């Protein structure tokens, strides 16, 4: 049941701002991506999200992807994050379970 809910309606578009402090390349911090997953997907599922873990910062390049792990009811689920557009310092990305 959980999987049906997420697959059926879990695509969420989120815009965030983040610049890498050490270079001119644009990134979204992993902690920001983790929080956006919780706040965007949390209301769409019937159980609380126990944790979200992403492996690294998300590159601010169209097409960049990253797989994060979301724990719900003791089970891990993969959330694929994909950058859809970059407008100035805004990085827009989709999130969905895979």
């Amino acid at each position: 049941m959980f999987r049906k809910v997420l697959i059926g309606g879990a695509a969420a578009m989120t815009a965030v701002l983040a610049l890498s402090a050490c270079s001119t390349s644009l990134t979204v911090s992993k902690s920001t991506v983790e929080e956006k997953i919780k706040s965007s997907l949390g209301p769409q599922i019937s159980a609380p999200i126990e944790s979200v873990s992403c492996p690294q910062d998300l590159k601010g390049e169209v097409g960049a992807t990253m797989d994060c792990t979301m724990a719900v009811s003791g089970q891990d689920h993969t959330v694929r994050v994909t950058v859809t557009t970059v407008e100035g310092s805004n990085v827009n990305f989709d999130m969905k379970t895979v």
Side-chain angles (χ1 to χ4, degrees), residues 13-57:
M13 180 70 78
T14 306
V16 293
L17 305 173
L19 284 173
S20 172
C22 299
S23 70
T24 59
S25 64
L26 194 60
T27 62
V28 181
S29 72
K30 73 181 226 163
S31 63
T32 298
V33 175
E34 291 165 351
E35 285 303 314
K36 292 299 180 182
I37 289 171
K38 286 180 190 176
S39 65
S40 295
L41 297 183
Q44 298 180 30
I45 59 176
S46 59
I49 296 174
E50 296 157 2
S51 65
V52 176
S53 177
C54 297
Q56 62 203 24
D57 293 347

Side-chain angles (χ1 to χ4, degrees), residues 55-67:
Q56 62 203 24
D57 293 347
L58 178 63
K59 283 188 172 187
E61 298 174 4
V62 174
T65 62
M66 175 171 64
D67 287 345

